[in-house]
Short mmCIF file of all heavy atoms in Angstrom, two decimals:
data_model
loop_
_atom_site.label_atom_id
_atom_site.label_comp_id
_atom_site.label_asym_id
_atom_site.label_seq_id
_atom_site.Cartn_x
_atom_site.Cartn_y
_atom_site.Cartn_z
N LYS D 13 -6.99 8.41 39.15
CA LYS D 13 -6.49 9.70 39.61
C LYS D 13 -5.06 9.88 39.12
O LYS D 13 -4.30 8.92 39.08
CB LYS D 13 -6.50 9.76 41.14
CG LYS D 13 -7.87 10.06 41.70
CD LYS D 13 -7.82 10.31 43.19
CE LYS D 13 -9.22 10.51 43.71
NZ LYS D 13 -9.28 10.63 45.16
N LEU D 14 -4.70 11.10 38.77
CA LEU D 14 -3.36 11.35 38.28
C LEU D 14 -2.82 12.63 38.91
O LEU D 14 -3.50 13.65 38.93
CB LEU D 14 -3.39 11.56 36.76
CG LEU D 14 -3.22 10.32 35.91
CD1 LEU D 14 -3.52 10.66 34.46
CD2 LEU D 14 -1.79 9.79 36.03
N ASP D 15 -1.58 12.56 39.39
CA ASP D 15 -0.95 13.75 39.94
C ASP D 15 -0.02 14.34 38.89
O ASP D 15 0.75 13.63 38.26
CB ASP D 15 -0.15 13.38 41.19
CG ASP D 15 -1.08 12.99 42.31
OD1 ASP D 15 -1.81 13.88 42.79
OD2 ASP D 15 -1.12 11.79 42.67
N THR D 16 -0.12 15.65 38.72
CA THR D 16 0.73 16.31 37.74
C THR D 16 1.43 17.48 38.39
O THR D 16 0.93 18.05 39.36
CB THR D 16 -0.09 16.84 36.54
OG1 THR D 16 -0.83 18.00 36.96
CG2 THR D 16 -1.07 15.81 36.01
N SER D 17 2.61 17.81 37.89
CA SER D 17 3.21 19.07 38.31
C SER D 17 3.61 19.85 37.06
O SER D 17 4.01 19.28 36.05
CB SER D 17 4.39 18.83 39.24
OG SER D 17 5.40 18.18 38.55
N VAL D 18 3.45 21.15 37.15
CA VAL D 18 3.57 22.02 35.99
C VAL D 18 4.57 23.12 36.28
O VAL D 18 4.52 23.75 37.33
CB VAL D 18 2.21 22.70 35.69
CG1 VAL D 18 2.29 23.51 34.41
CG2 VAL D 18 1.10 21.70 35.62
N GLU D 19 5.48 23.34 35.34
CA GLU D 19 6.34 24.52 35.48
C GLU D 19 6.43 25.22 34.14
O GLU D 19 6.19 24.61 33.08
CB GLU D 19 7.74 24.13 35.98
CG GLU D 19 8.42 23.13 35.09
CD GLU D 19 9.68 22.54 35.72
OE1 GLU D 19 10.41 23.31 36.36
OE2 GLU D 19 9.92 21.34 35.56
N LYS D 20 6.77 26.49 34.16
CA LYS D 20 6.87 27.24 32.94
C LYS D 20 8.10 26.78 32.17
O LYS D 20 9.13 26.45 32.75
CB LYS D 20 6.98 28.74 33.28
CG LYS D 20 6.60 29.59 32.09
CD LYS D 20 5.91 30.87 32.47
CE LYS D 20 5.83 31.74 31.23
NZ LYS D 20 5.60 30.98 29.99
N SER D 21 7.99 26.73 30.85
CA SER D 21 9.10 26.27 30.02
C SER D 21 9.03 27.03 28.72
O SER D 21 8.14 26.79 27.90
CB SER D 21 8.95 24.76 29.80
OG SER D 21 9.77 24.35 28.74
N GLY D 22 9.93 27.97 28.54
CA GLY D 22 9.87 28.81 27.35
C GLY D 22 8.56 29.56 27.34
O GLY D 22 8.17 30.16 28.35
N GLN D 23 7.85 29.48 26.21
CA GLN D 23 6.57 30.18 26.15
C GLN D 23 5.41 29.25 26.52
O GLN D 23 4.26 29.62 26.40
CB GLN D 23 6.37 30.75 24.75
CG GLN D 23 7.40 31.83 24.46
CD GLN D 23 7.26 32.37 23.06
OE1 GLN D 23 7.23 31.60 22.10
NE2 GLN D 23 7.21 33.69 22.93
N GLY D 24 5.75 28.04 26.96
CA GLY D 24 4.71 27.09 27.31
C GLY D 24 4.93 26.49 28.69
O GLY D 24 5.40 27.16 29.59
N TRP D 25 4.61 25.21 28.81
CA TRP D 25 4.64 24.55 30.09
C TRP D 25 5.35 23.21 29.98
O TRP D 25 5.28 22.55 28.95
CB TRP D 25 3.21 24.29 30.59
CG TRP D 25 2.33 25.48 30.48
CD1 TRP D 25 1.41 25.72 29.51
CD2 TRP D 25 2.32 26.62 31.34
NE1 TRP D 25 0.81 26.93 29.71
CE2 TRP D 25 1.34 27.50 30.83
CE3 TRP D 25 3.02 26.97 32.48
CZ2 TRP D 25 1.06 28.73 31.42
CZ3 TRP D 25 2.73 28.19 33.08
CH2 TRP D 25 1.77 29.05 32.56
N ARG D 26 5.99 22.82 31.08
CA ARG D 26 6.52 21.45 31.17
C ARG D 26 5.69 20.75 32.24
O ARG D 26 5.63 21.21 33.39
CB ARG D 26 7.99 21.45 31.54
CG ARG D 26 8.55 20.02 31.70
CD ARG D 26 10.05 20.01 31.97
NE ARG D 26 10.77 20.61 30.86
CZ ARG D 26 11.56 21.68 30.94
NH1 ARG D 26 11.77 22.27 32.10
NH2 ARG D 26 12.16 22.16 29.87
N VAL D 27 5.04 19.65 31.87
CA VAL D 27 4.20 18.92 32.79
C VAL D 27 4.85 17.57 33.08
O VAL D 27 5.25 16.86 32.15
CB VAL D 27 2.78 18.70 32.21
CG1 VAL D 27 1.90 17.93 33.20
CG2 VAL D 27 2.14 20.03 31.84
N THR D 28 4.97 17.25 34.36
CA THR D 28 5.56 15.96 34.73
C THR D 28 4.48 15.10 35.37
O THR D 28 3.76 15.55 36.28
CB THR D 28 6.72 16.18 35.72
OG1 THR D 28 7.61 17.15 35.16
CG2 THR D 28 7.48 14.88 35.96
#
Side-chain angles (χ1 to χ4, degrees):
Chain D
K13 280 188 184 175
L14 270 170
D15 291 293
T16 73
S17 65
V18 185
E19 57 191 320
K20 200 146 170 36
S21 164
Q23 295 177 309
W25 313 101
R26 178 175 299 120
V27 180
T28 309

